[in-house]
């Protein structure tokens, strides 16, 4: 351990205390405890270019214990990323690039959004899979273009979360040797000593997952031990590594080793003694000694050079493998292949009625051929989700004989939360468009990761089949009622519920083109007819008039499997002399983004609008005057009987539409579109 | 292995095939594979009384792999529960008591709702905790009133789910020796061989959690080995047990051992050969041989006798410990103590402004004294959730020195999903009112279990603090925006967001009195004033007029921390000559259950209504004409600045209210309450 190292580590610790104190909010404990690991990792191992934080072959660093982000911001600052001392001083302030937890897209060098515990390690598994896959696809003899590592720091909290268990078990199964996790074993959580709730044998647990398990006894000051462990980890050829590193939380503070130092600023006198102890002037703040600055400057220069060398390597690769090189470039840049969308199937009314999960399968079959970046799988529901496209190879370690790393289909196991968090990592890596699949009802299991797809602006697709009571016999435990409302309330997430083949194609079209928005695509188990009046173009606007009527008395607005029921209801209403329109609204998020004139043309004033959907009616008030849906849970039985039980039939719909029409006629006032808001121009401000 | 045993097992297998075939839907594989374990467990170990399925000291049986419920229904039928052969024939049919997955409350003898994988084993941990606690509280020397076991069957799918990991780790920590899990190690999941995704060492993993691990090599036919393992498990004194039992999925079918037999009926010829092989007449269905009937009848009689013996024991207990006996009776019957609600704090405007999480703490302090059945804890956020009431003892194994089993406070660890599923088990046991706690944002992590609280009609409380952007610096990763919409869309769940102390008391009052409904109670981090016009009685109706105005121009309807902002906005509007009312709507679910006259008096026709809430506005259309809330994610910064960023200030509210007022005045038509629906009498039908 050199003097430079010790000074650098002390600098990080003192700076962490300063940053949190200035913000008067934050978590000094873990940054002070993990400062040695961060310093050693960045100084001796991390391959990065702060001049080009997006360099594809950089090592990925994930701070799964995201509350320790002061540490990460400090490392980025020291290593030359666009994080200035002023940015550190603006920690946890409005619109700063140093928010309370790391957010992808906000700060250069932040690879994934962390803070919600357990997500980071699962993202790291995704990042590691992405490297393994991209390497398998693009590397050639003598051209290890893609060979980066993924390093992940995590704490007790992450290890307690189920999402971490799911992802870690899969990482072991997949033998991801490129993944190195460093566990900050500081024996402290918010509730106090881990003895109160967390007494499992973590090392044994990770061994059971098939990981390589190492340890560092003195994580506070044994820099060589840290370096040796990481070196050892990198030698692994067929196992991910977890390094159990014992540290003292808040090392240097008067309160070190206790939970008081976890989530609150150190007191003034504590910071003073800390600075004195570490050889800093207690009356100065935000100080980086020159030799520490120099050390990291040198490091940054080394990193830039690494990238330049890679660029040179890539140039030769380009000469030798021009096709592969241009493909890699295209994928890194996130450009879709010219004309890919022509592969999307189109349908006419003469095409067979099939479950929209089958339509999704056809679409995936078509897209897998033209989009090599499309990569995904199912949480052990492949035969039900119908997601394994024709000719797929499984992503598996070659030694298993079940696939290889260039395979693009995942067997995620019954691990929905892990799956989605892994997909977030895959998307964050770059060059990939990941999808996961399960029943719509079980997307809820992944709620923690779904909201981070949206917050992180990651293009992650979720194929969510068996999307309603239409799944029938499995019953209410499996029938989503509330799920659509939740997904529709999430900012920056597109929840699609296509009604037929053309709408299915549209849902994939828009999801894939939306580079910064995740999508959940809900598909039916039961058969749905191909509708007259649907088209990819129309559905791609999120909502459109499927069936118009002059001087309409009522509009029926609906989604997915209830749209054809509405079409039938219109015929019944016609017999009664009621003129009805049908609007299909497969995606609220996309429809809301259309211009107002268009939206008003779809849901105009002049007559009442009735929504029809086999879900909770919660949230339909924005589009319809009256709402027909479920007021309760579903029911176990053959699907048509379940629909009949809830009166969700053409007759039941027509009956309600008639009531709505007469109610509003009787009221006798003009009827306004629910799209009209008094606050429109305020939200535009 | 006797002939009777073998015949009984064969009967179960054949019956399982028949039931699934008749329904033409369902899962024969696991029931056929686990028939021996079920038979041995029920025949030799299970303490039950089918005459009184609610006997408090019965052993609890949980089928975590709930898709195998045919097995459970058959066992209930054979053992004399109210599940007839006709009920078996109505498997998976509308309104039958044999739905596609087991549902608590639908079928006698079903202890918890399972099917969503991983939930059952976590519920079982809750049931085991409940026994340990109730036993510790009520047992006396010579009176082991409460000493039942919890048995749980589970499959590969359950073990892959994070919720199972969380709960199992905690079960090991808590040393729950009364829990025996039998893992159906059949090497098959829906995606095929477990080799494709699940290659971890399950036994080592459970050892790492601190479990006792046993195995059965020949689960298909070695009945003695099964019995020996369970006997061995019951000898454990300080560890839960998992028995790894190797079985053949679909044992007896032509397709045994493969995934084809998992989730689809056997073909006709397969059932025929099965029956022949097992000595049944292939042309008959739904047959139970007389000696099998006799065997189970005898068993049922033995069970009834056990209950009678217990009743005798309880009688002597009553004589010796009359107070404890009447308390136990009260709790089993679910009666609350006389006058408990008088303990609820009330407030006036002169009381200090504090965060509603503090108000929740005061309420918990008061209630813990009068409600000994109130039991709960936090997912490692005790100091933030403020849930550890005064004088609490931790629920811990006494050997730890950290508490004991009569303790009522849980250190759940950072395990939100496990926590909620455990609370479901605690509530299902009887005699307990459990609560869990975390930040509102992380209730989403527990979504899978939350929906089952609601579907299962379990009174589970969730204390969800830091309920909005008002948490400030932690930022958007921790600020719920969509969570309220999701919870409000869930049938049979009460999402409360109290605005002050009286409303906080009301939220606890109603939550505790709602014996069949779970509640999520959202509390603020930031300080809130005590409001003029609030009261427990008013708030207990879910919504009420906080501030009225004659000939009002506008009503502001709001919840929680935005209510006081609305009150301030009213004063500003008054200066502009605009007369505004304020409605506080702390709970949609409870408000919706009020009579229409009352609801219309709160949100009447005649003037426009503007909602104000620091969440997505999704779903407000049912109460308000215009909606002011968040259109995006939150932001990291001091909370008042975050509110200001989104214009959620008295000024911002007043500005919008003015706009709404002039908009509707300009329109010049009568304004109708959004509560009025053309379909009212249809939903009442």
């Amino acid at each position: 351990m050199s003097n430079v190292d010790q000074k650098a580590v002390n600098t990080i610790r003192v700076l962490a205390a300063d940053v949190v104190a200035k913000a008067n909010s934050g978590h000094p404990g873990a940054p002070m405890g993990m400062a040695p690991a961060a310093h050693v990792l960045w100084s001796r191992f991390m391959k990065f270019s702060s001049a080009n934080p997006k360099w594809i072959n950089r090592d990925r660093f994930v701070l799964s214990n995201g509350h320790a982000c002061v540490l990460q911001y400090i490392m980025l600052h020291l290593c030359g990323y666009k994080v200035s001392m002023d940015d550190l001083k603006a920690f946890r302030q409005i619109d700063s690039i140093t928010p309370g937890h790391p957010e992808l897209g906000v700060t250069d060098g932040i690879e994934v959004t962390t803070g919600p515990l357990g997500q980071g390690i699962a993202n790291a598994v995704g990042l590691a899979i992405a490297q393994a896959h991209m390497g398998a696809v693009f590397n050639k003899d003598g051209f290890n273009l893609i060979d980066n590592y993924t390093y992940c720091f995590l704490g007790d909290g992450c290890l307690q979360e189920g999402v971490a268990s799911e992802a870690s078990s899969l990482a072991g199964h997949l033998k991801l040797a490129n993944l190195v996790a460093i566990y900050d074993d500081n024996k402290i959580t918010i509730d106090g000593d881990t003895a109160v709730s967390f007494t499992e044998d973590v090392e044994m647990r990770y061994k059971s997952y098939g990981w390589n398990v190492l340890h560092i006894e003195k994580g506070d000051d044994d820099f060589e031990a840290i370096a040796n462990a990481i070196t050892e980890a990198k030698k692994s050829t067929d196992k991910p590594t977890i390094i159990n590193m014992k540290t003292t939380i808040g090392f240097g503070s008067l309160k070190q080793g206790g939970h008081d130092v976890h989530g609150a600023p150190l007191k003034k006198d504590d910071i003073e003694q800390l600075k004195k102890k570490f050889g800093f002037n207690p009356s100065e703040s935000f100080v980086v000694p020159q030799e520490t600055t120099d050390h990291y400057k040198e490091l940054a220069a080394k990193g830039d050079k690494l990238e330049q060398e890679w660029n040179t390597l890539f140039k030769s690769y380009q000469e030798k493998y021009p096709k592969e090189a241009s493909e890699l470039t295209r994928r890194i840049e996130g450009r879709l292949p010219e004309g890919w969308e022509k592969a999307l199937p189109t349908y006419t009314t003469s095409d067979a009625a099939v479950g929209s999960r089958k339509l999704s399968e056809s679409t995936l079959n078509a897209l897998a051929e033209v989009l090599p970046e499309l990569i995904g799988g199912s949480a052990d529901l492949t035969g039900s989700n119908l997601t394994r496209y024709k000719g797929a190879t499984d992503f598996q370690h070659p030694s298993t004989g079940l696939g290889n790393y260039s395979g693009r289909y995942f067997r995620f196991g019954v691990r929905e939360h892990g799956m989605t968090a892994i997909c977030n990592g895959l998307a964050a890596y770059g060059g990939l468009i990941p999808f996961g699949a399960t029943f719509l009802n079980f997307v809820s299991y992944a709620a923690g990761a779904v909201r981070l797809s949206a917050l992180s602006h990651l293009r992650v697709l979720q194929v969510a089949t068996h999307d309603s009571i239409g799944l029938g016999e499995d019953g209410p435990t499996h029938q989503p009622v509330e799920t659509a409302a939740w997904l529709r309330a999430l900012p920056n997430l597109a929840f699609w519920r296509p009604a037929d083949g053309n709408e299915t194609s549209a849902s994939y079209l828009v999801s894939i083109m939306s580079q910064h928005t995740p999508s959940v695509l809900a598909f039916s188990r039961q058969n749905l007819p191909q509708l007259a009046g649907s088209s990819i173009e129309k559905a791609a606007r999120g909502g459109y008039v499927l069936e118009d009527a002059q001087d309409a008395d009522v509009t029926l607005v609906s989604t997915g499997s209830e749209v054809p029921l509405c079409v039938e209801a219109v015929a019944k209403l016609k017999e009664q002399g009621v003129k009805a329109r049908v609007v299909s609204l497969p995606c609220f998020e996309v429809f809301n983004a259309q211009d107002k004139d268009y939206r008003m043309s779809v849901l105009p004033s002049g007559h009442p609008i009735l929504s029809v959907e086999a879900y909770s009616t919660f949230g339909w008030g924005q589009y319809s005057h009256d709402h027909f849906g479920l007021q309760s849970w579903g029911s176990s039985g053959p699907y048509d009987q379940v629909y009949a039980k809830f009166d969700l039939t053409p007759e039941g719909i027509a009956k309600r539409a008639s009531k709505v029409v007469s109610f509003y006629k009787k009221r006798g006032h003009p009827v306004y579109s629910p799209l009209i808001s008094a606050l429109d121009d305020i939200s535009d401000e």
Side-chain angles (χ1 to χ4, degrees), chain A residues 514-528:
Chain A
S514 304
Q515 218 177 331
H516 302 294
T517 302
S519 304
V520 175
L521 314 179
F523 297 114
S524 74
R525 177 179 185 237
Q526 75 268 33
N527 289 349
L528 307 179

Side-chain angles (χ1 to χ4, degrees), chain A residues 120-130 150 167-168 170-171 174 176 179 211 422:
Chain A
I121 178 67
N123 297 160
V125 173
L127 289 165
I129 291 173
T150 298
S168 298
L170 188 61
L174 293 173
L176 300 169
L179 174 60
W211 286 51
I422 287 170

Side-chain angles (χ1 to χ4, degrees), chain A residues 397-528:
Chain A
H397 192 272
S399 70
T400 59
L402 298 167
N404 57 57
Y405 278 174
S406 62
R408 291 157 56 198
Y409 192 74
F410 295 103
R411 306 292 189 164
F412 285 112
V414 191
R415 304 180 179 107
E416 299 81 6
H417 201 174
M419 170 174 74
T420 308
I422 287 170
C423 284
N424 286 343
L426 291 171
Y429 189 89
L432 297 169
I433 303 177
F435 71 86
T438 183
F439 288 176
L440 177 57
N441 191 56
F442 299 113
V443 175
S444 304
Y445 267 49
V450 170
R451 98 183 289 274
L452 289 181
S453 309
L455 178 58
S456 308
H457 300 272
L458 291 170
R459 175 174 46 188
V460 168
L461 275 61
Q462 299 221 51
V463 178
T465 69
H466 296 64
D467 73 341
S468 75
I469 52 170
L471 70 77
E473 289 88 346
D474 272 349
T477 54
H478 288 53
Q479 292 165 350
V481 165
E482 76 288 5
T483 317
W486 158 55
L487 292 167
R488 286 165 176 161
L490 265 173
N492 191 41
L493 183 133
F495 172 74
W496 283 91
R497 191 167 184 246
D500 74 351
N502 292 327
E503 291 196 7
T504 298
S505 286
S507 71
Y508 275 99
L509 174 75
V510 180
S511 300
I512 286 169
M513 289 182 63
S514 304
Q515 218 177 331
H516 302 294
T517 302
S519 304
V520 175
L521 314 179
F523 297 114
S524 74
R525 177 179 185 237
Q526 75 268 33
N527 289 349
L528 307 179

Side-chain angles (χ1 to χ4, degrees), chain A residues 637-654:
Chain A
Y639 87 89
D640 44 351
Q641 295 175 32
V642 180
Y643 270 86
K645 176 181 162 106
F646 296 107
D647 218 15
L648 273 162
T649 58
E651 295 74 21
I653 296 166

Side-chain angles (χ1 to χ4, degrees), chain A residues 596 600 603-605 622 671-680:
Chain A
K596 185 151 189 193
M600 285 296 292
L603 297 170
S605 296
Q622 63 185 309
V671 181
Y672 294 99
S673 168
L675 295 177
I676 300 172
S677 158
L679 302 179
D680 266 356

Side-chain angles (χ1 to χ4, degrees), chain A residues 543-608:
Chain A
Y544 64 101
V545 183
L546 179 76
E547 217 175 290
D548 214 344
Q550 266 207 308
D551 305 318
D553 300 305
V554 66
T555 289
L556 304 176
V557 57
S558 185
T559 74
S561 47
E562 286 75 75
V563 174
L565 301 181
C566 288
V567 171
E568 284 186 63
V570 166
K572 296 203 181 294
L573 287 164
K574 203 171 179 184
E575 290 166 19
Q576 303 165 29
V578 176
K579 287 167 298 216
R581 301 162 77 237
V582 178
V583 164
S584 181
L585 205 72
C587 184
F588 289 16
E589 179 90 5
V590 170
F591 181 68
N592 291 349
Q594 305 300 312
D595 62 85
K596 185 151 189 193
D597 284 350
Y598 176 72
R599 284 184 288 127
M600 285 296 292
S601 75
V602 175
L603 297 170
S605 296
H607 60 258

